[in-house]
Amino acid sequence: MTHIIQLNDIKALLSSVDVISDMADGFIAYSKGETVVPPVGELHFDAPKGDVHLKYGYIKNDDFYVVKIASGFHDNLKLGVSPSQGLMLVFSQKTGKPEAVLLDEGHLTDIRTAAAGALVARHFAPKKVKAIGIIGNGIQAKLQLEYLKQVTPCRTVWVWGRDANHVSKFKNEIHHDFEVNIATTPNELAKHCNLIITTTPSEKALLKVGDVQPGTHITAVGSDTANKQELESELLNKADIVIADSIPQSKHRGEIFRAVNDGCLSENKVIELGNTLENIELRRQSDNQISIADLTGVAVQDIKIASAVYRNYKYKLS
């Protein structure tokens, strides 16, 4: 029997999952070569603008393999529909039998991305975060802040977005948990913040090399295709530490891909996140260093979160 699990049940099952720890375990397994993760499949649309990602794979000697389809159609907001959509399919790694269909509507992708952002901040943010900068004001921006509460006591936030009305709405949604300031430009935001998360689908750099002060950590999560870019390429050259969630993926998409193509970054400078989690010497050694993590999203994250949800589901059935 294949179990079909609806979004409300998925959210309830997630409440007992330590997603940040699961992401750490997944990235470590990935960097150790203990996973099978083929290249990302994707579709791009122009009318309306959107993209669909197909990510799949398995952790060796585990119970399941997972296939994830997730989309981002940002004009959906005009229709009152979430920009994130999708589902995850869980199969037995031993028999190939379909075990579960997780109708998560893109929620698990959003959660695992936010948890990865918190994981990176835990290990690379300055010891004292004076303010958190959020570039973007959508679902991912809100979730990044929600998960950052687990790894930093800082509650001062600066936010920038293209649409003033959307930014104002975003401020109203989070003001109970944070002291929220609205920046008029990404440059103004960067002047106040030493932990910055970029969460937009921008195809043009928003943060420039001269914007960022020493000691800043940036986590870029918006640029997950070859044509997207949130950080000026020269900024990655200036950074002391550049982290990829997946070095193979960084050759084809994301901020690192753009910087290498622009001749601003050597591939030899890039370190993989899973390796940094096991080797403290690869992390920040000074509060004056600039570090950048380029999170393009890796299938091992989907494998870990989908497997955890399904295991909880089976446990509650037993």
Side-chain angles (χ1 to χ4, degrees):
M1 175 182 178
T2 303
H3 300 279
I4 299 176
I5 310 176
Q6 303 288 339
L7 177 58
N8 286 340
D9 293 326
I10 289 169
K11 289 181 176 179
L13 292 164
L14 271 175
S15 64
S16 54
V17 176
D18 184 348
V19 188
I20 297 176
S21 293
D22 274 357
M23 293 303 102
D25 292 343
F27 285 124
I28 289 170
Y30 179 79
S31 291
K32 282 184 170 181
E34 296 172 355
T35 66
V36 174
V37 173
V40 178
E42 57 190 0
L43 298 170
H44 299 283
F45 300 87
D46 293 321
K49 202 166 187 63
D51 51 74
V52 177
H53 290 171
L54 175 65
K55 297 184 178 182
Y56 55 105
Y58 63 92
I59 298 171
K60 295 175 183 178
N61 302 312
D62 200 1
D63 295 326
F64 310 114
Y65 75 87
V66 172
V67 178
K68 189 274 290 285
I69 302 170
S71 65
F73 285 83
H74 293 274
D75 284 348
N76 281 5
L77 292 171
K78 300 173 185 176
L79 306 174
V81 177
S82 171
S84 299
Q85 296 294 328
L87 54 80
M88 295 192 184
L89 307 173
V90 180
F91 298 83
S92 167
Q93 199 179 120
K94 307 300 186 290
T95 67
K97 176 181 174 292
E99 296 280 350
V101 179
L102 307 183
L103 298 176
D104 72 305
E105 300 177 22
H107 182 68
L108 291 176
T109 296
D110 290 335
I111 292 295
R112 59 78 149 155
T113 303
L119 173 67
V120 169
R122 174 179 284 167
H123 294 289
F124 286 95
K127 291 178 183 177
K128 181 174 177 54
V129 177
K130 61 183 182 181
I132 301 167
I134 299 289
I135 293 182
N137 47 251
I139 295 169
Q140 190 53 224
K142 187 175 181 181
L143 286 173
Q144 287 285 335
L145 283 174
E146 188 66 30
Y147 273 81
L148 280 173
K149 287 193 293 187
Q150 299 183 41
V151 301
T152 176
C154 180
R155 296 294 181 266
T156 301
V157 172
W158 284 79
V159 59
W160 176 85
R162 296 185 190 278
D163 188 305
N165 290 330
H166 290 164
V167 173
S168 179
K169 181 181 177 182
F170 180 80
K171 177 179 179 178
N172 290 335
E173 289 173 347
I174 67 169
H175 80 277
H176 295 295
D177 294 325
F178 297 94
E179 175 194 323
V180 186
N181 305 278
I182 296 176
T184 56
T185 64
N187 173 274
E188 181 188 6
L189 178 147
K191 286 180 179 178
H192 293 279
C193 303
N194 60 348
L195 172 58
I196 301 173
I197 300 91
T198 63
T199 68
T200 77
S202 178
E203 296 182 3
K204 184 178 180 181
L206 301 172
L207 272 180
K208 306 298 178 64
V209 65
D211 296 339
V212 178
Q213 58 188 320
T216 299
H217 171 75
I218 302 168
T219 299
V221 302
S223 179
D224 57 1
T225 65
N227 62 317
K228 294 178 185 176
Q229 183 179 22
E230 297 180 291
L231 309 181
E232 187 176 48
S233 292
E234 186 58 35
L235 179 53
L236 279 82
N237 180 53
K238 180 180 179 180
D240 299 282
I241 306 170
V242 179
I243 309 113
D245 52 3
S246 164
I247 285 179
Q249 279 186 196
S250 74
K251 298 178 186 298
H252 306 285
R253 63 189 65 244
E255 304 296 343
I256 292 169
F257 165 74
R258 293 294 294 265
V260 171
N261 268 21
D262 289 344
C264 295
L265 179 68
S266 167
E267 291 182 358
N268 295 331
K269 183 177 179 178
V270 181
I271 54 178
E272 200 164 68
L273 177 56
N275 292 328
T276 73
L277 299 178
E278 291 212 301
N279 185 352
I280 194 169
E281 293 181 0
L282 296 176
R283 301 180 208 162
R284 176 186 292 267
Q285 302 298 313
S286 161
D287 273 348
N288 288 321
Q289 289 180 306
I290 294 174
S291 54
I292 296 174
D294 183 16
L295 303 184
T296 57
V298 188
V300 72
Q301 298 171 255
D302 306 308
I303 297 163
K304 291 294 291 186
I305 198 168
S307 298
V309 167
Y310 182 53
R311 285 191 177 100
N312 276 359
Y313 178 81
K314 289 202 303 179
Y315 175 77
K316 291 183 181 296
L317 285 182
S318 62

